[in-house]
Amino acid sequence: MDNGENVAFITVAVVSLLVVARILIAQIKDPTPQRACIIVAGGLPACSFAAAAPAVYHRLNDFVGVPNVAVLIVYGGVLAYPTAMAAFLMIVVRGPGFFFGRRAWMWAVGYASTIVTMAVLFTLADVDVDAADPTAFDQMYATEPFASWMLIVYQLYFALGLALTAPYWWRLSRQTAEPWFRRGMPSIAIGSWLLLGYCIPKIAYLGLRQAGIDVGTLNTWAPVAAVAAAAFNIVGYSLCALAPVSNYRARWQAYQLIAPLWRSIVAPFPDVVLHGWEGPANPRLAIWPGRLPTLLYRRVVEISDARLQLKPYCDGRVAAAARSAAHDAGLAGIDADAAVEAAMLRAALAAHTAGTLPEQPATRDDLRLADAWDDPDGSQAAEVRWWATVARHYLQPADGEPVPGDAVAGVR
């Protein structure tokens, strides 16, 4: 059994730490409290899985020189999971009915108090005989007063944290607009519920042992639920971690899609362009995920600057004709407005080259088409989506069918 537990626990620990390492890289580049909570929620329990492997368990006890001290390390790391999840929810979830909003200090105090209480009870307990692993520790010391109290405190805190946080993952998965989060969060919710399948049998086992009834199956099979829960959590975190990869792909497509519009509109106005290797014209620099957002948004800024200089050349008659053509083509919403904008830009560039001003300048409404699709919070992603949509219509082939715009909707 020891070999099986060694393989299972260490495998879960290694895979979990690899997922956490991927998230940690993103955290180093762009620190956020949400990501920090995910790192704690995944990293410390992963270390607990490693410490729970019998081979590691004994080495930790021998290294510290205290029998069974690895139990505290294992359980302390596991308890970080519901605590970090609660902290994550406090940061992310808002609105009526949110349970955690004003209870941050309660979770921090609760975690610290639980760890201190467990350490004190462990010190008072008579646990001088080294157990084979944490499961064997539960079996050996389930009736030892201080040790059993320590185990009950641990399981009750863990179960309470899971029961309170798990339902919110379903809610978040329905509320987020991020596709990979919508796929990953339900798996995290299932993992949290499965962890209750670890806690409840353990609590039942300890309670029955106090009554003189030994149902060893409950204690033996509870870790199986923990391993299954870890598998679901790994899948969930991995799917959520794919969001930056998906965003990179969408940004790269938008960067390429906007390129012809950018080259065309900035050509008469070289002063708006950031030249040199750091500029948005450097395709080799754009392949780096850390630089691509800056280069993409730089293109958007330069298009906007050049468009301001073309404003006097925008023709109201061109806008009216383009609006009519968009209606006839069945375009609506952002596509209709972008088609009008693209037509005005083509005509304005031609007028600028010829040095002629329009007889009927574009109206204020024509010149503010982008405002309807701007993010009130100032999101640069909204500007990218707008100009990517304009670029599709700017490059519209002669047959009138717009270039496919799958990249536009995914830009973040």
Side-chain angles (χ1 to χ4, degrees):
M1 184 66 176
D2 280 1
N3 288 335
E5 289 179 342
N6 282 326
V7 172
F9 289 162
I10 292 177
T11 299
V12 170
V14 170
V15 175
S16 298
L17 289 173
L18 288 174
V19 174
V20 169
R22 171 65 186 84
I23 301 172
L24 181 61
I25 292 172
Q27 176 71 353
I28 293 172
K29 294 179 179 178
D30 180 23
T32 66
Q34 296 95 323
R35 200 179 289 120
C37 291
I38 295 295
I39 291 170
V40 172
L44 292 186
C47 294
S48 293
F49 268 102
V56 181
Y57 182 88
H58 290 301
R59 283 175 172 78
L60 283 173
N61 293 335
D62 294 341
F63 176 77
V64 179
V66 178
N68 297 302
V69 71
V71 164
L72 284 177
I73 298 172
V74 172
Y75 292 161
V78 169
L79 290 183
Y81 178 81
T83 306
M85 290 297 92
F88 176 88
L89 291 169
M90 287 178 224
I91 296 169
V92 173
V93 181
R94 295 289 183 269
F98 177 54
F99 180 79
F100 300 97
R102 299 180 181 178
R103 295 172 171 79
W105 64 271
M106 293 176 60
W107 282 98
V109 171
Y111 179 74
S113 300
T114 301
I115 297 298
V116 170
T117 301
M118 290 173 59
V120 171
L121 291 173
F122 179 84
T123 303
L124 296 174
D126 182 11
V127 291
D128 292 337
V129 178
D130 214 4
D133 54 40
T135 300
F137 179 89
D138 293 2
Q139 186 174 4
M140 290 176 62
Y141 297 108
T143 55
E144 203 285 330
F146 295 109
S148 61
W149 297 344
M150 180 195 76
L151 294 171
I152 290 172
V153 167
Y154 158 68
Q155 294 292 351
L156 288 177
Y157 179 91
F158 194 27
L160 177 65
L162 292 170
L164 291 176
T165 58
Y168 285 96
W169 292 108
W170 291 104
R171 181 187 301 184
L172 281 177
S173 69
R174 300 298 181 269
Q175 292 176 347
T176 181
E178 176 56 66
W180 289 104
F181 278 34
R182 292 180 70 87
R183 298 181 182 103
M185 285 181 175
S187 184
I188 297 175
I190 294 172
S192 296
W193 286 118
L194 281 175
L195 280 173
L196 286 174
Y198 164 80
C199 296
I200 294 173
K202 285 281 192 178
I203 293 172
Y205 173 78
L206 292 169
L208 291 171
R209 285 293 301 273
Q210 302 304 310
I213 304 171
D214 187 356
V215 185
T217 305
L218 291 174
N219 185 53
T220 302
W221 286 99
V224 176
V227 172
F232 274 94
N233 281 333
I234 289 171
V235 171
Y237 293 138
S238 299
L239 290 173
C240 290
L242 285 175
V245 177
S246 176
N247 289 345
Y248 173 80
R249 177 175 176 271
R251 285 181 179 133
W252 175 256
Q253 290 177 334
Y255 178 81
Q256 298 293 337
L257 181 60
I258 289 174
L261 171 64
W262 170 77
R263 293 190 188 97
S264 177
I265 197 171
V266 303
F269 311 106
D271 291 343
V272 305
V273 178
L274 176 63
H275 295 285
W277 73 274
E278 290 188 336
N282 187 347
R284 288 178 295 180
L285 190 63
I287 65 174
W288 297 102
R291 299 304 300 268
L292 178 59
T294 301
L295 297 177
L296 174 60
Y297 297 142
R298 180 69 206 185
R299 278 192 172 174
V300 167
V301 169
E302 292 178 0
I303 290 173
S304 298
D305 288 346
R307 195 258 193 194
L308 283 175
Q309 299 198 44
L310 286 174
K311 181 178 176 180
Y313 298 93
C314 290
D315 195 323
R317 292 174 300 182
V318 171
R323 189 172 290 107
S324 177
H327 180 270
D328 293 342
L331 298 179
I334 190 171
D335 274 313
D337 287 350
V340 175
E341 179 75 20
M344 282 197 303
L345 287 176
R346 281 194 297 265
L349 280 169
H352 178 270
T353 302
T356 58
L357 294 173
E359 296 181 3
Q360 183 179 327
T363 66
R364 178 183 292 269
D365 290 339
D366 293 333
L367 295 173
R368 297 179 61 183
L369 289 173
D371 292 352
W373 309 103
D374 195 12
D375 187 336
D377 296 329
S379 167
Q380 292 174 314
E383 292 184 81
V384 172
R385 284 192 292 270
W386 165 251
W387 285 116
T389 308
V390 172
R392 287 197 294 115
H393 292 281
Y394 190 85
L395 299 173
Q396 190 173 16
D399 60 6
E401 291 297 326
V403 175
D406 296 339
V408 178
V411 176
R412 300 223 188 286

PDB file of all heavy atoms in Angstrom, residues 309-331:
ATOM      1  N   GLN A 309      -6.242  63.212 -37.287  1.00  0.00           N
ATOM      2  CA  GLN A 309      -5.736  64.118 -38.311  1.00  0.00           C
ATOM      3  C   GLN A 309      -6.529  64.006 -39.616  1.00  0.00           C
ATOM      4  O   GLN A 309      -6.520  64.927 -40.435  1.00  0.00           O
ATOM      5  CB  GLN A 309      -4.253  63.834 -38.554  1.00  0.00           C
ATOM      6  CG  GLN A 309      -3.399  64.061 -37.299  1.00  0.00           C
ATOM      7  CD  GLN A 309      -1.929  64.206 -37.608  1.00  0.00           C
ATOM      8  OE1 GLN A 309      -1.552  64.904 -38.550  1.00  0.00           O
ATOM      9  NE2 GLN A 309      -1.089  63.557 -36.804  1.00  0.00           N
ATOM     10  N   LEU A 310      -7.212  62.879 -39.789  1.00  0.00           N
ATOM     11  CA  LEU A 310      -8.063  62.712 -40.975  1.00  0.00           C
ATOM     12  C   LEU A 310      -9.477  63.253 -40.760  1.00  0.00           C
ATOM     13  O   LEU A 310     -10.259  63.314 -41.712  1.00  0.00           O
ATOM     14  CB  LEU A 310      -8.162  61.223 -41.347  1.00  0.00           C
ATOM     15  CG  LEU A 310      -6.932  60.588 -41.989  1.00  0.00           C
ATOM     16  CD1 LEU A 310      -7.151  59.089 -42.140  1.00  0.00           C
ATOM     17  CD2 LEU A 310      -6.655  61.220 -43.353  1.00  0.00           C
ATOM     18  N   LYS A 311      -9.790  63.647 -39.555  1.00  0.00           N
ATOM     19  CA  LYS A 311     -11.144  64.082 -39.227  1.00  0.00           C
ATOM     20  C   LYS A 311     -11.689  65.151 -40.176  1.00  0.00           C
ATOM     21  O   LYS A 311     -12.842  65.050 -40.629  1.00  0.00           O
ATOM     22  CB  LYS A 311     -11.167  64.583 -37.775  1.00  0.00           C
ATOM     23  CG  LYS A 311     -12.525  65.051 -37.287  1.00  0.00           C
ATOM     24  CD  LYS A 311     -12.418  65.485 -35.822  1.00  0.00           C
ATOM     25  CE  LYS A 311     -13.741  66.061 -35.325  1.00  0.00           C
ATOM     26  NZ  LYS A 311     -13.648  66.494 -33.907  1.00  0.00           N
ATOM     27  N   PRO A 312     -10.911  66.185 -40.552  1.00  0.00           N
ATOM     28  CA  PRO A 312     -11.465  67.212 -41.463  1.00  0.00           C
ATOM     29  C   PRO A 312     -11.806  66.670 -42.847  1.00  0.00           C
ATOM     30  O   PRO A 312     -12.573  67.311 -43.592  1.00  0.00           O
ATOM     31  CB  PRO A 312     -10.344  68.260 -41.545  1.00  0.00           C
ATOM     32  CG  PRO A 312      -9.492  68.009 -40.348  1.00  0.00           C
ATOM     33  CD  PRO A 312      -9.569  66.547 -40.096  1.00  0.00           C
ATOM     34  N   TYR A 313     -11.272  65.502 -43.204  1.00  0.00           N
ATOM     35  CA  TYR A 313     -11.477  64.963 -44.550  1.00  0.00           C
ATOM     36  C   TYR A 313     -12.613  63.929 -44.595  1.00  0.00           C
ATOM     37  O   TYR A 313     -12.880  63.365 -45.661  1.00  0.00           O
ATOM     38  CB  TYR A 313     -10.180  64.316 -45.053  1.00  0.00           C
ATOM     39  CG  TYR A 313      -9.030  65.291 -45.159  1.00  0.00           C
ATOM     40  CD1 TYR A 313      -8.139  65.468 -44.104  1.00  0.00           C
ATOM     41  CD2 TYR A 313      -8.847  66.050 -46.306  1.00  0.00           C
ATOM     42  CE1 TYR A 313      -7.096  66.368 -44.188  1.00  0.00           C
ATOM     43  CE2 TYR A 313      -7.795  66.955 -46.413  1.00  0.00           C
ATOM     44  CZ  TYR A 313      -6.931  67.116 -45.346  1.00  0.00           C
ATOM     45  OH  TYR A 313      -5.887  68.016 -45.448  1.00  0.00           O
ATOM     46  N   CYS A 314     -13.235  63.669 -43.460  1.00  0.00           N
ATOM     47  CA  CYS A 314     -14.321  62.691 -43.420  1.00  0.00           C
ATOM     48  C   CYS A 314     -15.573  63.276 -44.080  1.00  0.00           C
ATOM     49  O   CYS A 314     -15.997  64.408 -43.750  1.00  0.00           O
ATOM     50  CB  CYS A 314     -14.615  62.274 -41.985  1.00  0.00           C
ATOM     51  SG  CYS A 314     -13.300  61.276 -41.232  1.00  0.00           S
ATOM     52  N   ASP A 315     -16.177  62.513 -44.971  1.00  0.00           N
ATOM     53  CA  ASP A 315     -17.281  62.999 -45.805  1.00  0.00           C
ATOM     54  C   ASP A 315     -18.616  62.449 -45.301  1.00  0.00           C
ATOM     55  O   ASP A 315     -18.786  61.232 -45.143  1.00  0.00           O
ATOM     56  CB  ASP A 315     -17.048  62.564 -47.249  1.00  0.00           C
ATOM     57  CG  ASP A 315     -17.935  63.305 -48.240  1.00  0.00           C
ATOM     58  OD1 ASP A 315     -19.098  63.573 -47.891  1.00  0.00           O
ATOM     59  OD2 ASP A 315     -17.454  63.604 -49.344  1.00  0.00           O
ATOM     60  N   GLY A 316     -19.566  63.367 -45.056  1.00  0.00           N
ATOM     61  CA  GLY A 316     -20.884  62.959 -44.587  1.00  0.00           C
ATOM     62  C   GLY A 316     -21.644  62.144 -45.616  1.00  0.00           C
ATOM     63  O   GLY A 316     -22.408  61.232 -45.268  1.00  0.00           O
ATOM     64  N   ARG A 317     -21.470  62.444 -46.896  1.00  0.00           N
ATOM     65  CA  ARG A 317     -22.173  61.696 -47.938  1.00  0.00           C
ATOM     66  C   ARG A 317     -21.656  60.259 -48.017  1.00  0.00           C
ATOM     67  O   ARG A 317     -22.430  59.320 -48.235  1.00  0.00           O
ATOM     68  CB  ARG A 317     -21.998  62.403 -49.285  1.00  0.00           C
ATOM     69  CG  ARG A 317     -22.705  63.754 -49.365  1.00  0.00           C
ATOM     70  CD  ARG A 317     -22.383  64.479 -50.652  1.00  0.00           C
ATOM     71  NE  ARG A 317     -20.934  64.738 -50.771  1.00  0.00           N
ATOM     72  CZ  ARG A 317     -20.388  65.387 -51.790  1.00  0.00           C
ATOM     73  NH1 ARG A 317     -21.147  65.817 -52.794  1.00  0.00           N
ATOM     74  NH2 ARG A 317     -19.088  65.584 -51.825  1.00  0.00           N
ATOM     75  N   VAL A 318     -20.364  60.089 -47.831  1.00  0.00           N
ATOM     76  CA  VAL A 318     -19.795  58.738 -47.808  1.00  0.00           C
ATOM     77  C   VAL A 318     -20.368  57.952 -46.635  1.00  0.00           C
ATOM     78  O   VAL A 318     -20.726  56.767 -46.760  1.00  0.00           O
ATOM     79  CB  VAL A 318     -18.255  58.794 -47.715  1.00  0.00           C
ATOM     80  CG1 VAL A 318     -17.674  57.401 -47.471  1.00  0.00           C
ATOM     81  CG2 VAL A 318     -17.671  59.409 -48.968  1.00  0.00           C
ATOM     82  N   ALA A 319     -20.497  58.627 -45.481  1.00  0.00           N
ATOM     83  CA  ALA A 319     -21.041  57.945 -44.303  1.00  0.00           C
ATOM     84  C   ALA A 319     -22.480  57.517 -44.535  1.00  0.00           C
ATOM     85  O   ALA A 319     -22.877  56.394 -44.184  1.00  0.00           O
ATOM     86  CB  ALA A 319     -20.954  58.871 -43.089  1.00  0.00           C
ATOM     87  N   ALA A 320     -23.284  58.396 -45.154  1.00  0.00           N
ATOM     88  CA  ALA A 320     -24.690  58.066 -45.411  1.00  0.00           C
ATOM     89  C   ALA A 320     -24.810  56.899 -46.390  1.00  0.00           C
ATOM     90  O   ALA A 320     -25.625  55.980 -46.195  1.00  0.00           O
ATOM     91  CB  ALA A 320     -25.424  59.291 -45.941  1.00  0.00           C
ATOM     92  N   ALA A 321     -23.976  56.934 -47.454  1.00  0.00           N
ATOM     93  CA  ALA A 321     -24.020  55.846 -48.427  1.00  0.00           C
ATOM     94  C   ALA A 321     -23.570  54.523 -47.799  1.00  0.00           C
ATOM     95  O   ALA A 321     -24.158  53.462 -48.063  1.00  0.00           O
ATOM     96  CB  ALA A 321     -23.130  56.192 -49.613  1.00  0.00           C
ATOM     97  N   ALA A 322     -22.551  54.577 -46.937  1.00  0.00           N
ATOM     98  CA  ALA A 322     -22.055  53.366 -46.285  1.00  0.00           C
ATOM     99  C   ALA A 322     -23.083  52.815 -45.317  1.00  0.00           C
ATOM    100  O   ALA A 322     -23.254  51.592 -45.196  1.00  0.00           O
ATOM    101  CB  ALA A 322     -20.751  53.673 -45.551  1.00  0.00           C
ATOM    102  N   ARG A 323     -23.796  53.706 -44.644  1.00  0.00           N
ATOM    103  CA  ARG A 323     -24.828  53.251 -43.702  1.00  0.00           C
ATOM    104  C   ARG A 323     -25.960  52.552 -44.453  1.00  0.00           C
ATOM    105  O   ARG A 323     -26.483  51.523 -44.012  1.00  0.00           O
ATOM    106  CB  ARG A 323     -25.350  54.442 -42.900  1.00  0.00           C
ATOM    107  CG  ARG A 323     -26.274  54.046 -41.750  1.00  0.00           C
ATOM    108  CD  ARG A 323     -26.612  55.228 -40.878  1.00  0.00           C
ATOM    109  NE  ARG A 323     -25.445  55.672 -40.102  1.00  0.00           N
ATOM    110  CZ  ARG A 323     -24.765  56.770 -40.346  1.00  0.00           C
ATOM    111  NH1 ARG A 323     -25.107  57.559 -41.352  1.00  0.00           N
ATOM    112  NH2 ARG A 323     -23.715  57.094 -39.606  1.00  0.00           N
ATOM    113  N   SER A 324     -26.336  53.110 -45.581  1.00  0.00           N
ATOM    114  CA  SER A 324     -27.373  52.487 -46.393  1.00  0.00           C
ATOM    115  C   SER A 324     -26.931  51.126 -46.919  1.00  0.00           C
ATOM    116  O   SER A 324     -27.695  50.147 -46.902  1.00  0.00           O
ATOM    117  CB  SER A 324     -27.747  53.410 -47.563  1.00  0.00           C
ATOM    118  OG  SER A 324     -28.700  52.794 -48.404  1.00  0.00           O
ATOM    119  N   ALA A 325     -25.668  51.047 -47.371  1.00  0.00           N
ATOM    120  CA  ALA A 325     -25.144  49.781 -47.880  1.00  0.00           C
ATOM    121  C   ALA A 325     -25.054  48.737 -46.776  1.00  0.00           C
ATOM    122  O   ALA A 325     -25.332  47.549 -46.999  1.00  0.00           O
ATOM    123  CB  ALA A 325     -23.765  50.005 -48.497  1.00  0.00           C
ATOM    124  N   ALA A 326     -24.692  49.166 -45.558  1.00  0.00           N
ATOM    125  CA  ALA A 326     -24.614  48.236 -44.430  1.00  0.00           C
ATOM    126  C   ALA A 326     -25.993  47.682 -44.094  1.00  0.00           C
ATOM    127  O   ALA A 326     -26.154  46.493 -43.794  1.00  0.00           O
ATOM    128  CB  ALA A 326     -24.004  48.937 -43.215  1.00  0.00           C
ATOM    129  N   HIS A 327     -26.992  48.561 -44.152  1.00  0.00           N
ATOM    130  CA  HIS A 327     -28.378  48.121 -43.892  1.00  0.00           C
ATOM    131  C   HIS A 327     -28.829  47.115 -44.932  1.00  0.00           C
ATOM    132  O   HIS A 327     -29.447  46.082 -44.610  1.00  0.00           O
ATOM    133  CB  HIS A 327     -29.308  49.334 -43.867  1.00  0.00           C
ATOM    134  CG  HIS A 327     -30.736  48.972 -43.601  1.00  0.00           C
ATOM    135  ND1 HIS A 327     -31.626  48.685 -44.621  1.00  0.00           N
ATOM    136  CD2 HIS A 327     -31.428  48.841 -42.436  1.00  0.00           C
ATOM    137  CE1 HIS A 327     -32.804  48.399 -44.097  1.00  0.00           C
ATOM    138  NE2 HIS A 327     -32.706  48.487 -42.757  1.00  0.00           N
ATOM    139  N   ASP A 328     -28.519  47.404 -46.182  1.00  0.00           N
ATOM    140  CA  ASP A 328     -28.914  46.478 -47.258  1.00  0.00           C
ATOM    141  C   ASP A 328     -28.197  45.132 -47.133  1.00  0.00           C
ATOM    142  O   ASP A 328     -28.745  44.096 -47.532  1.00  0.00           O
ATOM    143  CB  ASP A 328     -28.593  47.105 -48.617  1.00  0.00           C
ATOM    144  CG  ASP A 328     -29.444  48.333 -48.913  1.00  0.00           C
ATOM    145  OD1 ASP A 328     -30.499  48.486 -48.240  1.00  0.00           O
ATOM    146  OD2 ASP A 328     -29.058  49.143 -49.789  1.00  0.00           O
ATOM    147  N   ALA A 329     -26.987  45.161 -46.597  1.00  0.00           N
ATOM    148  CA  ALA A 329     -26.224  43.919 -46.430  1.00  0.00           C
ATOM    149  C   ALA A 329     -26.616  43.153 -45.177  1.00  0.00           C
ATOM    150  O   ALA A 329     -26.082  42.076 -44.905  1.00  0.00           O
ATOM    151  CB  ALA A 329     -24.732  44.231 -46.390  1.00  0.00           C
ATOM    152  N   GLY A 330     -27.555  43.702 -44.387  1.00  0.00           N
ATOM    153  CA  GLY A 330     -28.007  43.033 -43.174  1.00  0.00           C
ATOM    154  C   GLY A 330     -27.084  43.197 -41.984  1.00  0.00           C
ATOM    155  O   GLY A 330     -27.183  42.440 -41.009  1.00  0.00           O
ATOM    156  N   LEU A 331     -26.199  44.176 -42.052  1.00  0.00           N
ATOM    157  CA  LEU A 331     -25.297  44.409 -40.928  1.00  0.00           C
ATOM    158  C   LEU A 331     -26.010  45.196 -39.842  1.00  0.00           C
ATOM    159  O   LEU A 331     -26.879  46.034 -40.124  1.00  0.00           O
ATOM    160  CB  LEU A 331     -24.055  45.170 -41.385  1.00  0.00           C
ATOM    161  CG  LEU A 331     -23.174  44.473 -42.433  1.00  0.00           C
ATOM    162  CD1 LEU A 331     -21.995  45.375 -42.800  1.00  0.00           C
ATOM    163  CD2 LEU A 331     -22.673  43.136 -41.909  1.00  0.00           C
TER     164      LEU A 331
END
